[in-house]
Amino acid sequence: MIKIDKVSLKKNGLYEVHLSNGDKMTVHEESLVRHRLLSGRELTGEELEAVTESIQYDQAYVDALKYISYKLRSHHEIREYLGEEYAPYIVDDVVGRLMDENYINDEMYAEALKNTMLNTSDKGPGMLERELKKHRIDEEIIFQKTGAFSDAVDSERMNKLKAKELKRYKGSQRHFSMKLQEKLMTKGYYKEHIDLITFGAEFDETPYFERDFEKIYKRYRNRHEGYVLKQKLTEALLRKGYEYDLIQEKLGEMTDETIG
């Protein structure tokens, strides 16, 4: 028989059960009461094994509830978290109980994540899809939630994203459009969303064109002249995304003295 020598309260609200064989068990109050772990009680080896297993189950359940209390968790997240400390059969039992009590619900998790991304971030439905797949959410749920997210994306959202990027950009409209499209695709937006963006008078590339023209002209003027210089200027400005007609108009304004 193994005797409980002492039960002491720890600072974090847990109890430490000291056994006559030198072992210790840390338990929650619920386990202490349920298993009548009182000082002086004697347990057989079988009783102690059953109590130990039950306590592990209780601890795993409480740990899972604490983990969930910070934010919603997916079924996969809970399994991975508990799997670091507990045996698979305990994890299975705890996860089953949490699902029965609706603490774990992958559809609710996916819905909450969709709403968070839609309302508090600049991410798109493709990013939601990637995140849900990472959490091994059912494919049908992923299809439904990403579809709802995609339908909710409107021109106002997309043009706000454009305006945000435009504040940081200095260059041609064509280059800006390309870079914006690349960035939005990495954020999880699809072509149908990018097509909602409009470009109007708010984009004036003239000062950037003049700046780039002067910079490139200074680079080439001492090495080339005449037709070759014009070709070099044209090619360099085209690579930066400026329109051919705009470039030719500028070149037409240059005198023989400046072009050589």
Side-chain angles (χ1 to χ4, degrees):
M1 300 286 283
I2 298 171
K3 185 180 178 181
I4 298 176
D5 288 337
K6 183 175 68 171
V7 178
S8 57
L9 177 63
K10 299 177 74 175
K11 290 182 179 179
N12 55 5
L14 298 174
Y15 291 84
E16 193 164 67
V17 180
H18 301 255
L19 302 175
S20 59
N21 64 357
D23 291 341
K24 296 177 184 178
M25 293 189 297
T26 301
V27 303
H28 295 276
E29 185 175 6
E30 179 188 350
S31 300
L32 192 76
V33 173
R34 178 144 51 89
H35 299 293
R36 297 182 296 109
L37 301 177
L38 305 174
S39 181
R41 183 186 172 190
E42 292 185 338
L43 300 167
T44 66
E46 288 183 355
E47 286 176 326
L48 180 59
E49 185 178 342
V51 167
T52 301
E53 185 175 306
S54 181
I55 288 172
Q56 282 189 318
Y57 173 84
D58 292 341
Q59 288 176 334
Y61 179 74
V62 171
D63 285 349
L65 289 181
K66 286 182 179 178
Y67 189 54
I68 293 169
S69 70
Y70 299 116
K71 68 169 190 174
L72 282 176
R73 305 286 182 176
S74 67
H75 178 274
H76 177 65
E77 270 185 294
I78 293 292
R79 279 196 171 278
E80 282 204 326
Y81 177 72
L82 294 178
E84 293 177 2
E85 295 289 336
Y86 300 100
Y89 70 92
I90 291 178
V91 174
D92 288 342
D93 288 347
V94 171
V95 167
R97 178 179 173 183
L98 292 170
M99 291 178 70
D100 289 341
E101 295 170 347
N102 212 33
Y103 284 117
I104 300 177
N105 185 314
D106 278 354
E107 184 168 4
M108 287 174 54
Y109 173 83
E111 177 69 15
L113 186 58
K114 180 206 76 176
N115 291 337
T116 298
M117 283 190 172
L118 184 60
N119 298 320
T120 66
S121 81
D122 59 1
K123 297 173 182 175
M127 193 70 79
L128 173 65
E129 181 180 2
R130 290 194 285 273
E131 192 67 19
L132 293 178
K133 283 184 175 179
K134 186 175 76 175
H135 286 272
R136 301 183 185 178
I137 305 298
D138 182 78
E139 287 292 335
E140 181 59 29
I141 294 175
I142 294 176
F143 178 78
Q144 291 174 358
K145 301 309 176 184
T146 54
F149 191 159
S150 183
D151 292 342
V153 174
D154 57 15
S155 60
E156 181 181 1
R157 181 183 183 88
M158 299 309 297
N159 280 297
K160 279 183 179 178
L161 291 173
K162 176 203 71 176
K164 181 180 176 182
E165 294 300 319
L166 191 55
K167 289 178 182 178
R168 297 193 284 255
Y169 183 78
K170 297 177 181 180
S172 69
Q173 180 171 320
R174 180 181 293 178
H175 257 204
F176 174 69
S177 298
M178 291 170 59
K179 288 181 177 294
L180 178 64
Q181 181 171 326
E182 290 172 4
K183 185 154 191 175
L184 291 175
M185 289 181 76
T186 62
K187 285 180 178 290
Y189 292 97
Y190 307 133
K191 185 179 182 301
E192 64 201 70
H193 305 131
I194 296 170
D195 287 343
L196 296 171
I197 296 173
T198 57
F199 287 95
E202 81 279 5
F203 195 106
D204 182 11
E205 66 181 20
T206 305
Y208 310 127
F209 172 76
E210 294 293 342
R211 179 205 61 190
D212 288 338
F213 186 92
E214 287 301 318
K215 188 185 297 183
I216 296 167
Y217 174 69
K218 288 177 182 178
R219 187 192 310 159
Y220 288 128
R221 67 181 177 183
N222 293 327
R223 289 183 282 168
H224 307 285
E225 61 181 26
Y227 176 77
V228 175
L229 176 57
K230 286 185 176 181
Q231 283 295 104
K232 292 291 182 181
L233 289 169
T234 300
E235 290 168 2
L237 290 165
L238 284 172
R239 285 195 296 271
K240 285 186 171 290
Y242 294 107
E243 296 290 340
Y244 180 79
D245 288 346
L246 178 63
I247 299 168
Q248 293 309 302
E249 181 180 345
K250 180 67 177 180
L251 291 175
E253 295 172 359
M254 299 183 72
T255 64
D256 291 340
E257 182 179 336
T258 55
I259 205 69

